Amino acid sequence: MTSQTILVLDFGGQYKELIARRVREEKVFSYILNGDTPIDKIKGYNPIGIILTGGPSSVYADDAPGTTRELFEMGIPVLGICYGMQLMCHILGGDVRRGEISEYGQTSCEFVSDNKLFRGINKEQIVLMSHTDRICGLPEGFSVLAKTSGCPFAAIGNEKAGLYGVQFHPEVIHTKCGEEVIHNFLYNICGATGDYNVSDYIDRQIQEIREKVGEKRVLLALSGGVDSSVCAALLSKAIPNRTTCIFVDHGFMRKDEADSIEAIFSKRDLRFIRVDASERFLAKLKGVSDPEKKRKIIGAEFIEVFDEQARQLGDVEFLAQGTIYADIIESGNDKTATIKSHHNVGGLPDRINFEGIVEPLRGLFKDEVREVGRELGLPSYLVERQPFPGPGLAIRIIGEVTREKCDLLREADAIVREEIGRKRNKPDQYFAILTNTRSVGVMGDGRTYDYTVAVRAVKTDDFMTASFMKIPYKTLENISRRITNEVKGINRVVYDITDKPPATVEWE
Ligand code: XMP
């Protein structure tokens, strides 16, 4: 619990989590607080430095988020980014003015003086600008550290006081020297020693969970996905025996998946309840082929089952969720308690009266969540799991979902994952789909009239766009042979050669 801390004060900027992550990448612990956090509370964190985020406001707006002069007089180094720099300048007596036009995009920046923030960085750099207001006069003790053609105060600093500001965004990859700027602030200015690692994060979260929950009890909807699994592992360490995980097995998991989730979590210090609800889900989906309807039915039934189980348990004060940073961005709102919707737990807090929500992974990026999971001893096949839709195989079965179709797809999918999973150069996501097409085939001397399986394998950075993977024919051949030989009921295999867009990753 001794690692050095950088505080990130948030003024409504869209990049605050990214800034916090960049600091963690430099092996320094970072913590995000609201921009208007009282100074005493800030001091309580004993930070080695403070970063002020950007934000959409103008420092002159009536409701502009702010801080006090004292923040800059504590002797703690401060780096203001964009709005953060303008705010610092405004509070310390500089001149900030409304710009006539906005400056947005990558631009060339010239570093004009020798200083600790830009030490070792080439004098000309491409940086990302995104602002309308601009600085027109500096506070006392400050000098210009960088300029662009449209912005004479692209970076400013008062080296003696340890106060720096950059109009550009060092946290985004579009600013080529951004990593070095953040590194320099941390190591040249704040005196960071790089003492943060993932076990430190875990220790801090354990302490926070204990402080929040006290002697009370926590309920977690465990889907078996990476996020809820890591959340469960963390809770079992923080408050052993006061966490109950309800794993609603809707019957649409992949081969052996539900059993392995049970095997892993029933060994941990928590109460693990597996509810086999496959009959119920299948009954609700009878005759339904529309994918959106399937999703809605599965979501509603999930809540129904979870709710029943929670009521049987009696009073549980906290609901835990494996919300991560991506979920917060997707929801577009980080001020309220975000309820993760994709795994069908959205709506639960309205039905069950929880005292609070515990979200220990909030703010972490997916790769960081995986690192936490590995550190907590979760097996790599679980931690490295591919993305998997909450409604599971039900949306990878085109048309009506039946138990027989689920079984067919489970077997075919296991073969696809086994064959492609052996390759060194793996796609980011690969799986099988059971199409609704049946066609004539011939097996031995007999005629068949069986289903067609489609194989999907994509490369992607963010799943918003994706390219189909150029899988070697030999691998496709093995997959096709094995599926048609080993899975009775499938006589044809096709490979999806469509990118996203125009297609999506899932077929649905
Ligand atoms: P699409 O089909 O929209 O999928 O291109 C993009 C990515 O999202 C995954 N996906 C989901 N993930 N819950 C999830 O956690 C869901 O309901 C869900 N639906 C789609 C999909 O597998 C792909 O990786």
Side-chain angles (χ1 to χ4, degrees), residues 295 342-343 387-391 395-396 429 463 500 504-506 508:
R295 277 184 177 271
H342 88 256
H343 268 309
F388 188 57
I395 56 155
R396 291 182 181 168
Q429 196 173 1
F463 295 93
K500 172 184 179 177
T504 53
V505 175
E506 300 291 343
E508 312 218 5

Side-chain angles (χ1 to χ4, degrees), residues 27-235:
K27 306 215 167 315
V28 182
F29 181 72
S30 57
Y31 200 85
I32 300 172
L33 291 175
N34 274 337
D36 60 0
T37 303
I39 296 297
D40 281 347
K41 189 164 174 201
I42 288 175
K43 282 184 184 160
Y45 284 88
N46 198 18
I48 59 164
I50 296 170
I51 299 180
L52 314 181
T53 75
S57 298
S58 162
V59 292
Y60 294 112
D62 287 343
D63 55 354
T67 179
T68 60
R69 193 179 177 96
E70 218 188 324
L71 185 84
F72 306 102
E73 295 172 344
M74 295 189 293
I76 299 171
V78 177
L79 173 66
I81 297 176
C82 197
Y83 178 83
M85 160 165 111
Q86 293 163 6
L87 184 68
M88 174 167 70
C89 187
H90 175 63
I91 290 175
L92 296 179
D95 183 12
V96 181
R97 294 200 191 158
R98 260 239 114 90
E100 295 287 299
I101 43 163
S102 302
E103 186 184 19
Y104 182 80
Q106 283 179 299
T107 182
S108 177
C109 180
E110 186 191 346
F111 298 129
V112 295
S113 76
D114 181 36
N115 62 81
K116 291 182 193 164
L117 192 62
F118 300 133
R119 189 155 298 159
I121 299 178
N122 287 342
K123 293 271 167 280
E124 288 271 334
Q125 289 286 339
I126 298 295
V127 300
L128 183 91
M129 289 287 198
S130 172
H131 66 112
T132 306
D133 285 6
R134 59 193 64 226
I135 290 174
C136 293
L138 294 176
E140 216 184 302
F142 278 75
S143 61
V144 180
L145 308 184
K147 59 180 185 183
T148 69
S149 60
C151 182
F153 300 96
I156 62 171
N158 176 343
E159 290 235 275
K160 225 165 128 198
L163 305 177
Y164 295 84
V166 286
Q167 184 58 70
F168 58 85
H169 288 271
E171 68 276 24
V172 300
I173 50 170
H174 310 84
T175 294
K176 302 291 178 208
C177 58
E179 200 180 319
E180 289 158 280
V181 171
I182 290 174
H183 178 91
N184 283 351
F185 177 66
L186 300 175
Y187 286 85
N188 295 350
I189 296 164
C190 301
T193 55
D195 60 356
Y196 168 73
N197 56 35
V198 70
S199 61
D200 185 37
Y201 182 87
I202 293 172
D203 289 344
R204 285 174 188 261
Q205 287 307 320
I206 287 175
Q207 180 165 329
E208 276 190 23
I209 293 169
R210 286 180 183 156
E211 277 167 13
K212 183 163 190 178
V213 171
E215 291 304 309
K216 296 180 175 163
R217 286 171 301 165
V218 176
L219 190 62
L220 171 74
L222 181 70
S223 68
V226 179
D227 309 340
S228 67
S229 296
V230 173
C231 186
L234 199 51
L235 287 166

Side-chain angles (χ1 to χ4, degrees), residues 219-223 228 246-248 298-304 306-307 319-323 327 338-352 354 357 359 390:
L219 190 62
L220 171 74
L222 181 70
S223 68
S228 67
I246 297 181
F247 169 49
V248 177
I298 294 170
E301 192 61 13
F302 185 97
I303 291 181
E304 204 58 49
F306 191 89
D307 191 11
L319 176 72
Q321 296 201 125
T323 316
D327 307 319
T338 311
I339 305 307
K340 192 172 188 175
S341 54
H342 88 256
H343 268 309
N344 319 319
V345 292
L348 274 179
D350 298 337
R351 296 184 54 149
I352 308 170
F354 290 107
I357 292 181
E359 293 176 313

